[in-house]
Amino acid sequence: MLLRRQILATAGLALTAPTILRAQPSASIPDAMMADGRFVSFMELLERSPALNLLRGAGRFTVFAPTNAGVDTIPSTLRSEFTGVHNDSSPSAPDAGSLSALVNLHIVDGVHPLASFTAPSTILRSRNGTGLKVERTPQNTLHVTLADNLGPGVGGMNRPRPATILTPVVMAENGIILPIDVALLK
């Protein structure tokens, strides 16, 4: 009888707990991002960078992936530089170096699920060498900012906006995707 109560209590907790993970255990990070649908715009940038092959590989990664609306927070002039597509439809060569830096700013080696951010703040190192500070707010949300923000930012911003980690997060066979509401810019 005690075992039955424990099983029922565990099942009740599972039903009331919020769903925060979507599992794509047999998919690589890029494939899980495409299957999710919230990251189509970021995938368009990722597909133009060498990081795509990295994220399809055997490593373990955390991707702070801006949602489609998050990519829209990148100034249009910068998006044009990254893609080589301008408002007047005149094609030009994309700025591969800047695009690679942008994409790698969103990738961290190792898997860092939400539960790993228990301290008030945690600093992680992105693939382009920039420190990312993950801070827990009093409202228990997680914000990501640049830890080593030196000088003026992109587009004249003196201090980039913090990105909020959204749920649900997505698990992939080689890591985790943490959705964020704005793109990280340095």
Side-chain angles (χ1 to χ4, degrees):
M1 186 62 132
L2 179 61
L3 179 60
R4 183 176 179 197
R5 274 191 234 151
Q6 287 173 332
I7 291 171
L8 290 174
T10 302
L13 285 175
L15 291 174
T16 60
T19 303
I20 60 170
L21 293 178
R22 285 188 200 168
Q24 298 286 336
S26 62
S28 67
I29 288 173
D31 295 335
M33 288 172 68
M34 283 305 291
D36 186 282
R38 293 179 290 168
F39 311 106
V40 174
S41 296
F42 187 64
M43 278 301 301
E44 289 173 0
L45 297 173
L46 187 60
E47 287 171 344
R48 297 171 187 266
S49 81
L52 180 65
N53 290 332
L54 173 79
L55 294 177
R56 284 207 166 115
R60 305 283 291 160
F61 305 101
T62 298
V63 179
F64 291 93
T67 61
N68 296 326
V71 170
D72 288 344
T73 66
I74 299 171
S76 61
T77 54
L78 287 176
R79 283 196 315 260
S80 296
E81 286 180 31
F82 297 147
T83 62
V85 177
H86 299 278
N87 289 341
D88 61 3
S89 300
S90 62
S92 66
D95 184 345
S98 294
L99 176 61
S100 184
L102 171 79
V103 169
N104 282 310
L105 179 61
H106 292 82
I107 302 171
V108 174
D109 288 327
V111 177
H112 303 277
L114 295 178
S116 68
F117 302 116
T118 57
S121 70
T122 304
I123 304 239
L124 303 171
R125 190 70 46 199
S126 73
R127 298 268 315 163
N128 77 356
T130 301
L132 301 179
K133 182 190 243 181
V134 180
E135 294 180 288
R136 187 170 293 281
T137 68
Q139 296 79 23
N140 209 28
T141 58
L142 294 171
H143 287 174
V144 183
T145 56
L146 304 181
D148 41 359
N149 183 25
L150 304 172
V154 173
M157 293 185 293
N158 288 330
R159 186 170 189 179
R161 300 166 296 226
T164 301
I165 298 177
L166 307 171
T167 57
V169 302
V170 180
M171 294 297 300
E173 70 179 350
N174 60 340
I176 187 168
I177 303 157
L178 300 178
I180 55 176
D181 64 343
V182 299
L184 302 171
L185 297 173
K186 181 169 182 175

